[in-house]
């Protein structure tokens, strides 16, 4: 209990010396760093949701690879189309 009072007294001295806004900014910075660390290590997102997202991504990637040949053939047809000649237009 006495240690808690000493820590609060030290924080109060820091707040008096540097200002309350700086103390709150430091606390906010430490909190945000902790949250970012949790996101990076995977502790913030449940494993089941992470696995579901990875499975969905793999399915979409497979579908895109399967459709790549179709898009390539369509691109070939479009590139072979004859462009209009502005000199031949009437009207």
């Amino acid at each position: 209990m006495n240690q808690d009072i000493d820590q609060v007294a030290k924080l109060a001295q820091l707040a008096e010396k540097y200002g309350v806004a700086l103390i709150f900014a430091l606390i906010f910075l430490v909190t945000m760093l902790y949250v970012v660390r949790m996101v990076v290590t995977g502790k913030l997102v449940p494993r089941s949701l992470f696995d579901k997202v990875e499975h969905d991504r793999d399915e979409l990637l497979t579908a895109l690879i399967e459709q790549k040949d179709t898009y390539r053939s369509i691109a070939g047809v479009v590139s072979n189309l004859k462009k209009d000649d502005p000199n031949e237009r009437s009207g």
Side-chain angles (χ1 to χ4, degrees), residues 20-45:
V20 177
L22 180 62
I23 302 300
F24 284 139
L26 289 175
I27 291 171
F28 178 73
L29 179 67
V30 169
T31 304
M32 291 308 299
L33 288 174
Y34 181 71
V35 169
V36 167
R37 181 175 165 247
M38 287 177 62
V39 168
V40 169
T41 57
K43 293 179 182 175
L44 194 60
V45 179

Side-chain angles (χ1 to χ4, degrees), residues 62-75:
T62 303
L64 284 174
I65 289 172
E66 290 173 356
Q67 293 178 357
K68 183 171 63 172
D69 292 333
T70 306
Y71 293 133
R72 190 174 289 152
S73 65
I74 292 172

Side-chain angles (χ1 to χ4, degrees), residues 83-91:
K83 294 184 179 180
D84 288 339
D85 188 10
N87 296 331
E88 292 181 10
R89 288 189 175 183
S90 62

Side-chain angles (χ1 to χ4, degrees), residues 38-59:
M38 287 177 62
V39 168
V40 169
T41 57
K43 293 179 182 175
L44 194 60
V45 179
R47 185 70 180 177
S48 60
L49 291 177
F50 182 72
D51 290 340
K52 182 182 180 306
V53 168
E54 283 198 349
H55 178 70
D56 291 345
R57 184 199 62 203
D58 292 342
E59 285 180 356

